[in-house]
Amino acid sequence: MGQTVINSKHVNIIAAEINAKNNQIQSAIELLDGGDTVPFIARYRKEMTGGLDDTQLRQLEERLGYLREMDDRRETIIKAIEEQGKLTDALKQSIMSAETKTRLEDLYLPYKKKRQTKAQKARLAGLEPLLQQIIDAPTADVDELASEYIHSNGDDETLHVKDAAAALDGARQIALEDLSEDADLIQELRDWLWGQGVVISKVMKGQENDNKAARFKDYFEFSEAINKIPSHRMLALLRGRNEGVLSINIDHADVLDENMLLHPAMGRLVKHTGWDIEQSEWLNRTTELAWKAKLQLKLNLQLLSHLREQSDEAAIQIFNRNLKDLLLAAPAGGLVTLGLDPGFRTGVKTVVIDANGKLLDTAVIYPHAPQKQWEQAKQVLVKLCQKHDVKLIAVGNGTASRETDQLAAEIIKQNHDIKAQKIMVSEAGASVYSASALAAAEFPDLDVSYRGAVSIARRLQDPLAELVKIDPKAIGVGQYQHDVNQAQLTKALGDCVEDCVNKVGVDVNTASAPLLKYVAGVTDSVAQEIVKYRDANGSFKNRKQLLKVARLGDKMFEQCAGFLRIRNGEQPLDQSAVHPEAYPLVNNMLEHMNTQIEQVIGQMGPLSQLNPSDFANDQYGVTTIKDVIEELKKPGRDPRGEFKTATFDDQVHEIKDLKIGMRLEGVVTNVTAFGAFVDVGVHQDGLVHISELADQYVKDPADVVKAGQVIKVRVLEVDPQRKRISLSAKSGDGSQAKVSSQSDKKTVHSKTSQSQRRSSKNNQNNSANQGAFAGALADAFKKAKK
C-alpha cells in the first residue's frame, strides 16, 4: 500500500489552527498515514511530534480528514466542469483557493447537472439578450423591449414566447438564477450576515397555548446575534423548530427596526450587480425577488447548517469532557463491595462482589413502601456484610435511593463490626447494561434485575473498566446528545474512551473484551481472541505471548503492547508503561548502574541519579529517556488520583428540606455550556448557573468545575413544584469562591442527575429538561441574585 502524499498546504493550515510547528504536523501525519494510533503517537512518539498530546492529535486527525475530503471533491468538480468545456483559469483558481466545502459547492452550482429550470428554458428561447437590454437601458419601456422577443420556436411549445409578459418573466427567471448561483455574491452576503445578522425565532401559529410548547416560551419572540448565540441556545431553538413549535429565520439585525423601509440586502445587491433599480421598477422588483425568493432562503439554509455544525461540535465537546471526567474518576479499588439497586414496589436488588468484581451473593429486600420490611431488610444486609466482610456499599442513585442510603447508614451505625463505607453511585446506563448481550454472556443464569446492581458495585471499584461496557450516550452526562450529529458523537465518544483507557493502561489478565477493544490498535475481534487465548492457556506470563494470539500481528503488537500490563509476570517491565521497544534502553541503564531491574524498579533514588543525555542516541531521544526513567520510578502508576467522596447533610433528604441560604457540600454531576448541575443529597440535582460559579467572570464552566468534583454551594432558590433548585458556588462575601479540596480537580464518585437514570430515554428527557431550563436561566438567576 502506497504512502499518501502529504499536502504542504494542509500542514500549514493545521499547524496554525492547533498552534504547532510545521515539522510537528508533518511528522504526525506521516505516523497516522503509517497506521499508528493517536494514543500510541501521543505516548511513544513524542520525539517525532515534538510532544503533541492526544487532544492536539485528535484535532489534527479530524482536520486532515476534512481537508483531504475537500481535495477529493475539488478534483471531482474541476473534472466535471472541464468535461463541459467551461473551466476557465479564473474559475479553476477560485476552486483551488476555496477554503470550505460550502464555497466549493457554491462555485460548482451553476455547472451542476440538474433538471431543466425555467431560466434554462428562457435561455433556450433566446431571452438572455432581453435581460441585458433592460439592465443597459433602465429607463426604457420594458414591454416595448419585450415585444421584440415574441415568437414561436419550432415544435417545442415550451420554447415559444407568447407575449411580452412571458418574455419578461423568462428574462426575470434568468436574472434570479444568475444571482442565486453567483458564488462571489453568495460569499459576500454570507460573510455580511455572519457579521451583522441575527437569529430570529417566533412561535408557530396555534402553538402559543400548547402545553408542549411551554418549554420554549422564552423563544416565542427571540433574537440574538448569529455570531454570538451559544450552542445550547441554538440547539434549543432547533429542537423547538423540529417539534413544530418555533420558526427560525436568519436576517440582518436592521430588520428588527420597525421603521426600516428598504432591506439592507438591497443595497449590497445593487452594488454587486450595478443595476439602476431607482430608474427601473422592473429591476427593483427583480432584485427584491432575488433576495426574498432565492438568496435569503439559500443563506438561511447555509448559515443554519453552519450554526448547527458549530453547536453540535460544542455539545459534543462538552459531552466528551464530562465523559472523560467520569471515566477517569478515581477507583475505590479492589475491595469487597455490596451493591444496592434501589426500588420501592419491586424491592432493592442486592449483590456482593469480591475484590475482582466476581459475583459472590445475591438477595432482594423490601424495606420501602408498600411492603415496609425495614428491619427484615437490615438483617439481610447485616448478614451479607458480616459473611463477606464487605468494605464498600454502593447505593444506586435511582428511585428510593435516599431511603436506601438511610438504610445502609443505619446498619453501619448500629453494627460496629461492619467496617464499610457507603457511597452513592450513578446508576445511569445500568439498565442498558443489564439488558445487553454482554451482560447476558457474562451472567447467563442471573436475573436481569440483579445485573444492574452488579454494574453499580463494579463501577465504584473501577469506573473505567465498568463504564466501557455501556454505550457512552447512555451514561447521561451530555447536553442535547440526542439532537446532535450521531455519527460524529459516536466517533468523538469512542475516541474519548480510547484515550482514557490508554492513559490508565489495562491489565491484560483481568480485562474484559469490551475494555480490551479500546486499547490502541486492538480490534473488537482481537479483543475476543485475547480473552479466548487467556481462557485456554491461563494468564499471560509476558508481553511476547501476545504475538501468539490469533490475528495479533507485529504492527498491532507495536501499538498495544505498552498499554497492556502484566502483573507479577516473568518480566518486571511488563507491569509498566515502558514499551518493549525501549527494553534495550533499560538494559543499557542497568549495565551503567551495574544492577538488576528488580533492585531499581519503583525506587526513586538510584534512578534520579541518571542523566538522560548519557543514553541518548539515534534510536532514543532525551524526551523518551526521561519518560522511561519516570515510569521506572512509579511503574504502572494509576493517573486517576485519590478516591474521595462528598459528605451530604444528614438533615437534607428531599427538596422540601432545602432552605434559601443553606450552605451544602455537593458533587458536580454534569457540566454544560450554561453552568453545572450539582447533587446536594436530594432527588433532584441543583443548577449552578455560569454567572454563579465563581466570584470572578467565568467564560466556560469547565474552567472552574468538572464532573465528579466536590464543591461548596449555597441555595439560592427552591421550586418544589417544578423540581428546580438554583445554587451558587460564590463565596457570598466577595472573597474567592470556595471549592473544596477538589481544587486540584481530583474526581470522585457520586450520584448523577435523577432524571439521567435507568435508560437512554430518560437521558433524552433529561437533555430536553436542561434545554428548556437553559432558555430562562439569565432572567431567573438575575432575580435569584436580587
Side-chain angles (χ1 to χ4, degrees), residues 466-677:
E466 191 62 24
L467 290 175
V468 294
K469 300 175 184 177
I470 302 167
D471 180 353
K473 286 177 278 189
I475 296 176
V477 290
Q479 177 186 354
Y480 294 96
Q481 64 259 37
H482 298 279
D483 295 83
V484 302
N485 184 299
Q486 294 300 293
Q488 290 180 9
L489 177 63
T490 299
K491 183 184 183 306
L493 297 183
D495 290 345
C496 175
V497 176
E498 182 182 39
D499 290 340
C500 291
V501 167
N502 290 285
K503 183 174 183 178
V504 173
V506 172
D507 188 332
V508 71
N509 286 321
T510 60
S512 64
L515 181 57
L516 287 166
K517 76 176 183 181
Y518 285 109
V519 174
V522 176
T523 62
D524 287 14
S525 60
V526 172
Q528 298 289 345
E529 292 293 341
I530 292 173
V531 174
K532 190 185 297 183
Y533 181 93
R534 192 174 68 200
D535 291 342
N537 300 281
S539 297
F540 286 89
K541 302 288 193 301
N542 57 66
R543 281 171 168 164
K544 289 182 181 178
Q545 273 184 277
L546 289 166
L547 289 167
K548 296 180 180 180
V549 174
R551 298 198 293 278
L552 200 159
D554 292 338
K555 184 64 177 180
M556 190 180 292
F557 178 81
E558 176 194 53
Q559 298 299 302
C560 72
F563 303 107
L564 293 172
R565 313 290 160 74
I566 297 174
R567 317 289 179 192
N568 304 315
E570 298 171 345
Q571 165 60 271
L573 290 175
D574 286 350
Q575 68 180 301
S576 73
V578 176
H579 197 282
E581 66 185 12
Y583 286 5
L585 169 64
V586 176
N587 289 334
N588 190 13
M589 293 176 179
L590 294 173
E591 289 178 10
H592 177 81
M593 292 186 290
N594 191 26
T595 187
Q596 301 295 316
I597 185 64
E598 290 82 2
Q599 272 68 56
V600 295
I601 192 167
Q603 303 298 315
M604 300 286 289
L607 293 166
S608 298
Q609 305 302 314
L610 295 175
N611 183 358
S613 59
D614 291 342
F615 304 95
N617 53 39
D618 292 341
Q619 187 176 2
Y620 306 110
V622 172
T623 300
T624 298
I625 296 168
K626 286 181 178 179
D627 279 351
V628 169
I629 293 173
E630 288 305 308
E631 180 60 25
L632 290 174
K633 290 178 181 179
K634 295 182 178 180
R637 172 180 47 187
D638 194 321
R640 291 176 287 181
E642 182 184 353
F643 176 76
K644 293 183 178 182
T645 61
T647 302
F648 293 120
D649 191 320
D650 290 338
Q651 304 304 313
V652 174
H653 300 286
E654 299 179 36
I655 192 171
K656 65 181 182 181
D657 298 329
L658 295 175
K659 308 297 180 187
I660 293 176
M662 185 179 284
R663 292 188 176 273
L664 302 165
E665 190 170 73
V667 181
V668 178
T669 60
N670 199 3
V671 180
T672 70
F674 52 83
F677 288 87

Side-chain angles (χ1 to χ4, degrees), residues 381-454:
L381 294 184
V382 168
K383 288 180 180 178
L384 287 172
C385 288
Q386 292 172 337
K387 177 182 177 181
H388 299 288
D389 192 20
V390 168
K391 298 300 183 185
L392 293 171
I393 300 177
V395 183
N397 70 316
T399 304
S401 59
R402 287 305 166 198
E403 295 83 351
T404 305
D405 183 68
Q406 185 180 348
L407 181 74
E410 282 193 19
I411 67 166
I412 294 172
K413 184 177 180 180
Q414 296 170 2
N415 296 272
H416 299 296
D417 58 327
I418 297 178
K419 306 298 182 183
Q421 182 182 14
K422 68 173 179 65
I423 298 110
M424 190 73 73
V425 177
S426 165
E427 62 177 43
S431 61
V432 175
Y433 164 77
S434 299
S436 68
L438 175 63
E442 196 172 5
F443 299 107
D445 301 321
L446 185 64
D447 186 88
V448 173
S449 59
Y450 287 105
R451 295 173 188 167
V454 173

Side-chain angles (χ1 to χ4, degrees), residues 4 22 77 94 132 142 158 251 266 285 290 302 378 381 414 454 457 506 513 529 551 618 680 702 715 725 778:
T4 304
N22 283 25
I77 289 172
S94 294
Q132 192 59 49
V142 292
T158 62
D251 212 332
M266 296 293 287
R285 179 58 180 156
Q302 289 183 344
K378 285 167 56 178
L381 294 184
Q414 296 170 2
V454 173
V506 172
E529 292 293 341
R551 298 198 293 278
D618 292 341
V680 291
V715 180
I725 305 164

Side-chain angles (χ1 to χ4, degrees), residues 92 107 148 177 292 320 388 411 441 558 592 619 658 721 753 765-766:
K92 185 175 181 179
L107 290 164
E148 298 179 14
E177 184 170 273
K292 293 179 180 177
N320 222 346
H388 299 288
I411 67 166
E558 176 194 53
H592 177 81
Q619 187 176 2
L658 295 175
Q721 187 174 358
S753 175
N765 291 337
N766 177 61

Side-chain angles (χ1 to χ4, degrees), residues 114-125 174 177:
K114 46 186 174 282
R115 289 181 298 178
Q116 194 174 53
T117 63
K118 291 180 179 179
Q120 287 172 331
K121 291 178 181 178
R123 285 189 175 94
L124 291 174
I174 294 171
E177 184 170 273

Side-chain angles (χ1 to χ4, degrees), residues 314-335:
I316 289 171
Q317 286 178 350
I318 289 169
F319 197 155
N320 222 346
R321 193 167 56 206
N322 287 331
L323 178 64
K324 182 178 181 180
D325 291 339
L326 284 187
L327 292 176
L328 294 181
L335 300 171

Side-chain angles (χ1 to χ4, degrees), residues 130 133 140-149 164 168:
L130 172 59
Q133 281 184 289
D141 186 328
V142 292
D143 290 317
E144 186 176 328
L145 292 175
S147 65
E148 298 179 14
Y149 290 85
L168 289 171

